[in-house]
Amino acid sequence: MAQVKIVTDSTAMLLPDEIEKYQITTVPLTIVIDGVTYQDGITISPAEFMDKMAVAKNLPQTSQPALGVFTEVYEPLVADGSSVISIHLTKGLSGSVDAASQAAMMVDGDVTVIDSDLIDRSLGMVVLAAAKKAASGATRDEVLAEIEAVKAKTEQYVMVSKLDNLVAGGRLSKTAGLLAGMLNIRIGAHVVSGNINVETKGRGAKSTKAYFKKITDILQAAPNGVHAIGISTAGIPEKREELGEQLKAMFPDAQIVLQQTTPIVATHTGDAAIGFSYQLN
């Protein structure tokens, strides 16, 4: 019976032992900082990126892997007759899914490309579930069904404290950004079907705290409990640890992963942003 192999991209925020244990292939995205090109997670770490972004003359630019990179990944994986399922971050933030889909059509083998509609650790949760299912000997169709089931129980929220990068990246007008900066406006957004939908706008840390409480209230009301939680921040490691301790007290049975977010996400959100991923049972 053909084996199922899992591919994703560097924004999935998987832990090194998860990648090794389940033999997940990770394709890096690219970041350009003041003319210098880096590969996410290979030639630049999330922490190094934050340091470089802080002193960069221009907003860093991100790009999906080239089509040829995907074909070079897929070809050896399908050579033994295995099926490949390639799961990527939302099309709303990257063209990675499109590049992967084009590459899949060029490869002589069974490659299925999935738009997770998610980012960061929420993407990682879906990838991890797929990899575990594949490792159990499941068929391609069974793994695809698992992906859809887990996606339905997985959510991603983002809390942005500084709106400069959203303005520089064209996702927020300069006028709105200036007013937001003057008023210390922070936003809370929910990633829905790949779209980043702003749900709240408020002044100062109290608004972020209120949005965080809204999310934890949802989790505490979940009838079957919480399987996993991920907190990814752009910088602010002390805040990340503080939130992690609160969540461990609230949800002692959930797997909780605290990380510095990928440069791809941090480029859009700027410093001091918080990503909140969760997967329900």
Side-chain angles (χ1 to χ4, degrees):
M1 182 174 66
Q3 184 181 1
V4 179
K5 299 174 181 177
I6 304 300
V7 175
T8 189
D9 58 67
S10 58
T11 69
M13 299 304 295
L14 293 166
L15 301 176
D17 63 326
E18 293 170 341
I19 293 172
E20 181 179 0
K21 181 176 181 180
Y22 296 104
Q23 299 183 325
I24 301 167
T25 302
T26 303
V27 182
L29 272 71
T30 298
I31 310 109
V32 179
I33 308 174
D34 291 339
V36 181
T37 300
Y38 302 89
Q39 286 187 299
D40 182 20
I42 296 179
T43 58
I44 191 169
S45 71
E48 289 169 340
F49 172 79
M50 294 304 299
D51 292 339
K52 291 182 182 296
M53 183 172 70
V55 297
K57 297 177 182 178
N58 302 292
L59 181 70
Q61 301 295 310
T62 65
S63 63
Q64 68 268 20
L67 189 152
V69 172
F70 280 113
T71 58
E72 289 175 3
V73 167
Y74 295 151
E75 285 172 350
L77 293 177
V78 300
D80 63 358
S82 296
S83 294
V84 167
I85 299 177
S86 197
I87 314 165
H88 299 284
L89 80 160
T90 171
K91 189 186 296 185
L93 287 181
S94 170
S96 295
V97 167
D98 290 335
S101 297
Q102 292 176 47
M105 291 188 288
M106 298 173 65
V107 173
D108 185 16
D110 179 30
V111 180
T112 302
V113 177
I114 303 289
D115 184 346
S116 72
D117 291 326
L118 298 165
I119 55 176
D120 203 83
R121 185 63 183 179
S122 57
L123 164 59
M125 290 171 179
V126 173
V127 172
L128 192 57
K132 288 179 178 178
K133 191 71 173 180
S136 74
T139 65
R140 169 186 170 278
D141 288 346
E142 288 170 339
V143 175
L144 291 174
E146 178 73 359
I147 290 170
E148 290 307 309
V150 172
K151 278 181 63 176
K153 298 184 290 186
T154 303
E155 300 288 349
Q156 171 80 51
Y157 295 83
V158 183
M159 289 155 267
V160 181
S161 298
K162 301 176 182 178
L163 306 184
D164 296 355
N165 284 33
L166 291 175
V167 172
R171 293 177 179 270
L172 186 69
S173 72
K174 289 184 178 179
T175 301
L178 178 62
L179 290 173
M182 292 172 61
L183 298 173
N184 191 21
I185 297 296
R186 303 185 180 195
I187 65 172
H190 185 195
V191 181
V192 181
S193 299
N195 298 311
I196 301 176
N197 298 338
V198 174
E199 292 189 328
T200 63
K201 298 177 183 179
R203 298 183 65 178
K206 286 185 178 180
S207 65
T208 299
K209 186 176 181 180
Y211 197 59
F212 184 82
K213 184 179 184 302
K214 173 186 174 179
I215 302 167
T216 56
D217 286 348
I218 293 171
L219 295 186
Q220 289 178 320
N224 298 317
V226 182
H227 177 72
I229 297 172
I231 295 292
S232 300
T233 62
I236 55 172
E238 299 85 0
K239 185 63 176 179
R240 181 169 69 237
E241 294 299 323
E242 176 190 330
L243 295 176
E245 289 303 315
Q246 293 177 27
L247 291 167
K248 288 173 186 176
M250 292 180 188
F251 310 102
D253 296 328
Q255 179 203 38
I256 298 176
V257 175
L258 309 177
Q259 300 179 92
Q260 163 69 43
T261 193
T262 168
I264 310 304
V265 172
T267 294
H268 293 287
T269 65
D271 185 35
I274 302 168
F276 192 131
S277 306
Y278 69 76
Q279 179 188 334
L280 300 178
N281 287 319

